[in-house]
Amino acid sequence: MALSGKRILLIISGGIAAYKSLDLIRRLRERGASVRPVMTEGAQQFITPLAVGALAADHVFTDLFSRQDEQDVGHIRLARDCDLVLVAPATADLMAKMANGLADDLASTVLLATDRPVLAAPAMNPKMWAHAATRRNVETLRGDGIRFIGPMAGEMAESKEAGVGRMAEPLEIVAAVEEMLGAATPGPLSGRKAIVTSGPTHEPIDPVRYIANRSSGRQGHAIAAALAKLGAEVTLVSGPVNIPDPSGMTVIHVERAEEMRDAVLGALPADIAVMVAAVADWRVASSADQKIKKHPGESIPTLALTENPDILRTVGHHTMRPKLVVGFAAETQDVESNARAKLERKGADMIVANDVSPATGIMGGTRNSVKIIRHDGIEQWPDLSKDEVASRLATLIADRFRQG
Ligand code: CTP
């Protein structure tokens, strides 16, 4: 059974979606997990500890100040004697407490005391989910390493209102639990190692200035996540970006192209290399150790540039060349012919070409319209979100391995 022997601490907070937690307990136990429930006071307004305890076949913990519970288990042990803490439903109120480190009841105290991975399944009215305060709290929690499943779009249970706020279905939550605990069925890329580069590079001019570009890292990070989702063991080498590290992989942070090359070569051997980073082609030949000052009357400094290593080309011609090498081509004109030339020059098996002219909004944006260029043909994909491009590309890569 997929979750055999896994111990889940299930925190149920007070929302109408709590009725689904009863089914969730059943689904988790069917797969071999043991479920220890904690209920907030709000949760007990919607479902009873009796029903929860009967389905979980365990004591239900509700009170931070219960002398008996403290003696038997204690809230610190409760927080740590498990493989995963699952908060379902996670109300706006409980998430606000979590984001601010409040600990005024058993659920929030356990969440502050735990050193285990935490998965939250939010459920609330769409307006509450969209509220700036909730947005802030979710961002903070993501930054703290809390994982989320949902909320989903759809009609709310308590009103005819539609929007994003519905708790994920029990089976969706179970799948996320399995993924987090590494119990998911092996994906088509399991056992394969992948290296992905993402984001821009920063090439220093002096200690405070650098040369950069508009890459956000969204496409590269999404590809790394999509490959990991199919089971690959991913090393993501990321330039400076403002988006969070995807979970479930090794992330190496670098600044300069030379550091990126070293990190990529250090991660070899691998089966797959997807070079998405917008690596600066040039760096300043000799960057200054001190801030370059302006001196009135003196001539304006000129920057002498020198070429950066071409990481894709190095990997494409390496003695430890991965079986599948994928590059990107950011073009503003003659997309197809330029991309074809890159395929040859860089020793790649596939080039994902996109038109990054400012009018397309692709660079730094959330959508992408790409052509897949291979030695045996070209495919034009429709306008897609960067996540969709990533999952299609990961599937294409998995197909290639399936075909050998
Ligand atoms: N690339 C790389 N190292 C570099 C430059 C580019 O690994 N120093 C990789 C990119 O990650 C991408 C591919 O090469 O996968 C093509 O990048 P692109 O910027 O489109 O091409 P360039 O090689 O820089 O060529 P040009 O600037 O002439 O278009």
Side-chain angles (χ1 to χ4, degrees), residues 275-277 279 281 309-312 327-331 342 345-346:
M275 306 284 97
V276 196
V279 183
D281 291 315
D310 187 323
I311 303 167
L312 173 58
F328 269 65
E331 308 292 348
K342 274 178 197 167
R345 191 168 75 237
K346 306 214 180 198

Side-chain angles (χ1 to χ4, degrees), residues 197 257 260 274-282 307-314 326-331 338 342 345-346 351-352 354:
T197 65
M260 186 173 273
V274 190
M275 306 284 97
V276 196
V279 183
D281 291 315
W282 304 281
E307 202 165 330
N308 260 335
D310 187 323
I311 303 167
L312 173 58
R313 193 165 177 198
T314 307
V326 182
F328 269 65
E331 308 292 348
N338 278 328
K342 274 178 197 167
R345 191 168 75 237
K346 306 214 180 198
I351 292 279
V352 182
N354 49 21

Side-chain angles (χ1 to χ4, degrees), residues 36-209:
R36 171 160 274 185
V38 170
M39 294 177 76
T40 64
E41 237 176 80
Q44 296 169 63
Q45 301 294 322
F46 292 93
I47 52 174
T48 66
L50 193 66
V52 170
L55 285 165
D58 199 349
H59 177 69
V60 180
F61 295 81
T62 54
D63 186 2
L64 181 58
F65 302 109
S66 155
R67 241 188 282 156
Q68 190 61 50
D69 288 356
E70 274 303 299
Q71 212 168 38
D72 293 346
V73 181
H75 63 273
I76 301 294
R77 235 183 83 199
L78 195 60
R80 307 212 176 135
D81 270 4
C82 60
D83 298 296
L84 181 129
V85 179
L86 172 60
V87 192
T91 57
D93 177 66
L94 185 55
M95 290 197 307
K97 281 185 187 166
M98 289 164 76
N100 289 288
L102 297 187
D104 65 350
D105 65 358
L106 184 62
S108 52
T109 304
V110 162
L111 283 160
L112 195 59
T114 192
D115 56 0
R116 306 279 118 180
V118 178
L119 173 68
M124 66 197 71
N125 175 277
K127 295 246 161 34
M128 291 166 79
W129 176 250
H131 195 284
T134 308
R135 308 276 83 241
R136 262 195 319 272
N137 292 335
V138 169
E139 267 323 294
T140 303
L141 291 170
R142 284 216 168 97
D144 292 347
I146 308 290
R147 297 270 300 266
F148 286 89
I149 169 82
M152 307 301 179
E155 209 163 87
M156 300 299 113
E158 81 279 21
S159 67
K160 282 281 162 241
E161 236 173 300
V164 176
R166 193 170 57 78
M167 185 167 92
E169 293 305 319
L171 286 179
E172 291 169 320
I173 298 174
V174 168
V177 167
E178 286 178 349
E179 195 204 318
M180 274 179 82
L181 292 176
T185 42
L189 287 176
S190 49
R192 305 280 181 193
K193 232 189 108 184
I195 306 172
V196 179
T197 65
S198 182
T201 61
H202 284 182
E203 306 298 334
I205 297 170
D206 66 19
V208 295
R209 306 180 177 100

Side-chain angles (χ1 to χ4, degrees), residues 267-290:
L268 287 174
D271 302 284
I272 303 156
V274 190
M275 306 284 97
V276 196
V279 183
D281 291 315
W282 304 281
R283 66 177 181 276
V284 176
S286 49
S287 63
D289 291 339
Q290 304 295 334

